[in-house]
Amino acid sequence: MSMMTRLSPALIRLVAAPLLGLSLAACASTEEAPYVERPVETIYSEAAAAMDEERYKEAARLFDEVERQHPYSQWATRAQLMAAYAHYQALAYDDAIIALDRFIQLHPGSDDIAYAYYMKGLCYYEQITDVGRDQRITQQALDALGEVTRRFPESPYSRDAALKIDLTNDHLAGKEMEIGRYYLRQGHQNAAIGRFRTVIERYQTTSHVPEALHRLTEAYLALGVVDEAQAAAAVLGHNFPGSEWYVDSYALLVDANVRPESSSKSWISRAWASVF
């Protein structure tokens, strides 16, 4: 007979009770560490060391602790921004954005405010996915980076923000092109034209414009709207004469027994002239 079978139920309860108490006490101690106030320099140094060692989650926690224990110290404001940066480094973008929004709201006159806006833009920008997915994050990146160039045009972050805006616009234009090509393959020319028009009217400086003009030529010819097809090909030939897309558009017009012809009345010509 084993030792366990010889123990009476009462004795088992007596042995188990203190063990259960110890277990509960251990759980309680892990849920919330006791508050121990420490010098602000000590906490900040520990947070900086955690950053150097790439322990970003721990660093964010310690920077938050700086503000929690010493909210009115000169270290607290810097710690707020560093906590956001630690979250960013940990790829915890949502946490970083929350921290940055809080910093922007509390410290609009800070010397680091331009950097805070720029970091927020980066948090959205680095979440941009392929053009086959929803582009809500892409639009948020565009809006946030636009804030940097509008509010702080002379800041050291404005140039990089402008470059990323161009890349983001190219990404959004690519999404419109993907949808437009799908509609065109399905024979929904009017829906396709709407997408290609968006590229021409809103994303004229992107790399997708030559193809958009060619696809418009193709879609308008399929609908029998020859004037618009000619205008699209004319704008394509004038601005991108060496493009493979112009070669393809010209071949489509030749097959349809028409030629590229400028049309000042076309919306395409007007849209293009409005920028150039």
Side-chain angles (χ1 to χ4, degrees):
M1 180 179 294
S2 69
M3 180 67 68
M4 180 59 70
T5 57
R6 290 200 299 270
L7 293 175
S8 68
L11 185 58
I12 292 174
R13 285 196 296 273
L14 288 173
V15 173
L19 294 177
L20 179 59
L22 289 173
S23 176
L24 291 174
C27 291
S29 65
T30 59
E31 286 178 1
E32 185 176 352
Y35 177 83
V36 178
E37 185 170 341
R38 295 186 295 156
V40 63
E41 296 88 349
T42 301
I43 307 172
Y44 198 97
S45 295
E46 289 181 7
M51 285 292 294
D52 290 341
E53 296 168 6
E54 300 183 358
R55 294 184 288 114
Y56 299 123
K57 291 183 179 180
E58 176 66 7
R61 186 191 69 78
L62 287 167
F63 282 125
D64 285 339
E65 190 67 13
V66 169
E67 184 187 7
R68 184 168 80 105
Q69 292 199 16
H70 306 278
Y72 304 111
S73 71
Q74 61 179 346
W75 301 80
T77 301
R78 182 64 178 171
Q80 289 175 8
L81 195 57
M82 288 302 297
Y85 182 66
H87 286 308
Y88 165 78
Q89 289 286 59
L91 306 183
Y93 295 117
D94 290 343
D95 291 333
I97 291 168
I98 290 171
L100 289 164
D101 279 338
R102 182 168 177 269
F103 180 88
I104 290 168
Q105 181 180 11
L106 293 176
H107 310 289
S110 169
D111 291 340
D112 295 315
I113 194 66
Y115 178 73
Y117 275 95
Y118 175 68
M119 280 293 302
K120 182 178 176 180
L122 286 185
C123 287
Y124 286 120
Y125 181 82
E126 294 186 8
Q127 295 182 79
I128 294 175
T129 55
D130 62 82
V131 296
R133 299 187 180 184
D134 176 69
Q135 297 302 297
R136 181 178 60 86
I137 288 289
T138 310
Q139 187 60 55
Q140 288 174 313
L142 189 63
D143 294 340
L145 293 168
E147 285 282 291
V148 178
T149 58
R150 286 192 301 273
R151 290 174 178 266
F152 315 101
E154 304 302 322
S155 76
Y157 313 108
S158 181
R159 182 176 179 180
D160 188 62
L163 174 61
K164 285 180 168 56
I165 286 172
D166 288 341
L167 295 173
T168 303
N169 277 323
D170 201 82
H171 195 85
L172 290 171
K175 179 65 175 181
E176 296 294 330
M177 290 300 301
E178 181 192 50
I179 297 172
R181 285 191 294 266
Y182 170 79
Y183 284 142
L184 201 58
R185 289 194 299 269
Q186 299 299 314
H188 304 309
Q189 282 82 10
N190 285 323
I193 287 169
R195 297 293 179 166
F196 301 139
R197 284 189 63 157
T198 297
V199 174
I200 299 302
E201 293 172 343
R202 295 177 57 183
Y203 306 111
Q204 291 186 355
T205 59
T206 69
S207 62
H208 298 280
V209 168
E211 183 186 356
L213 288 165
H214 166 68
R215 300 298 180 187
L216 281 172
T217 303
E218 182 180 355
Y220 279 128
L221 282 177
L223 291 174
V225 186
V226 175
D227 289 347
E228 294 292 354
Q230 288 176 303
V235 171
L236 177 56
H238 179 75
N239 293 280
F240 308 98
S243 169
E244 62 180 298
W245 299 113
Y246 178 63
V247 173
D248 293 343
S249 291
Y250 191 88
L252 287 176
L253 293 175
V254 169
D255 289 343
N257 200 29
V258 293
R259 294 288 187 274
E261 185 176 305
S262 179
S263 173
S264 60
K265 295 181 180 180
S266 168
W267 71 266
I268 303 172
S269 302
R270 293 195 302 272
W272 201 255
S274 68
V275 173
F276 302 97

